[in-house]
Structure formats: C-alpha cells, structure tokens
Amino acid sequence: MARCQVLTAGLSLLLLSGMLGCGSGQPAKAPPPTEKAGGIVLNKNGKPVSGGSVEFRHAAKPEFVSLGDVGPDGKFTLQTTGGAADAAGAQEGEHTVTYTPPLNDKGETEPITLSKKYTVKAGANNITVTLE
C-alpha cells in the first residue's frame, strides 16, 4: 500500500511539473509603451524593395523587438513582440534596423543590419529605411 502511495505521489508531481512548464516562474513582462510606426524600405537606388521583413531593436531596451513584414510595395507596419503580449508600433527612441530579404531560389537569405540608426518619436511615425 505504501509503495502504491509513493508511486501515485511521484506521478502526480511529474504531471504537475509538466503542466507548469519550464519557465522561470516569473510572470512575463508587459510590453513597453509604443508609438505607431511603419514606413517603407528602399534599395540603394531609392526604389521600394519587394517583400522580406524589418526588425527594429531598441538601443537601450533590446529585450523587446519591433517587427514588420515588408509588402510588395516596400511598405511595413511595426509590431512589438516579447513579454506577455504583442503591442502595435515600436518603442520611442533610437533603433538598430535589420532588413531580411525574401528567400532566393536556393531558399537562402542574408539579413542586412544597417549602420544608420533610426529614431521612433512620440506620435505617428512614417519611417523611410534606405538600404546601404
């Protein structure tokens, strides 16, 4: 009987630990305040790129990233991810921007991190990202 109780208790603990997951035990952070942000990505010749994605990473608070899919017309809208929920827009401040082109015929792509920093300001932002 005692062996059965130990086995049952062990299985219960195993199931409970599986339901709790592997997290740190800390609740996920709420997303930071964001500002409406989007824009267009231009190639070196000033023409809109077609497809891909952009990532805006805040210089001082990089734990939250703002991402946007680039449409066939080069336009994107940013969404901040990380933490408990996503939030429309991007954090106010200076960002490092990475553009990832669509996959080529071989299924490969090479992200381009730009040396120029881009700033998101209070209010609505229409940002022109120019590839170097």
Side-chain angles (χ1 to χ4, degrees):
M1 173 94 175
R3 183 174 180 198
C4 185
Q5 288 175 333
V6 170
L7 186 57
T8 302
L11 286 173
S12 296
L13 285 174
L14 182 63
L15 288 172
L16 181 60
S17 66
M19 291 186 328
L20 292 176
C22 300
S24 65
Q26 299 294 323
K29 291 182 180 180
T34 58
E35 302 297 330
K36 184 176 179 181
I40 190 166
V41 180
L42 304 176
N43 65 22
K44 294 176 187 179
N45 300 323
K47 304 286 185 199
V49 301
S50 181
S53 63
V54 288
E55 173 190 289
F56 278 58
R57 186 169 294 272
H58 196 279
K61 299 177 246 169
E63 62 272 15
F64 292 95
V65 177
S66 300
L67 304 170
D69 289 328
V70 178
D73 57 357
K75 294 182 180 180
F76 65 91
T77 301
L78 293 174
Q79 179 93 2
T80 297
T81 64
D86 293 348
Q91 298 177 73
E92 186 177 348
E94 188 174 85
H95 296 258
T96 298
V97 175
T98 300
Y99 170 69
T100 303
L103 298 176
N104 62 23
D105 294 339
K106 296 179 182 179
E108 304 167 334
T109 188
E110 182 136 352
I112 303 164
T113 299
L114 305 174
S115 59
K116 177 183 176 183
K117 304 295 183 210
Y118 288 83
T119 302
V120 173
K121 299 177 181 178
N125 292 265
N126 188 17
I127 302 165
T128 300
V129 174
T130 304
L131 301 180
E132 302 164 348

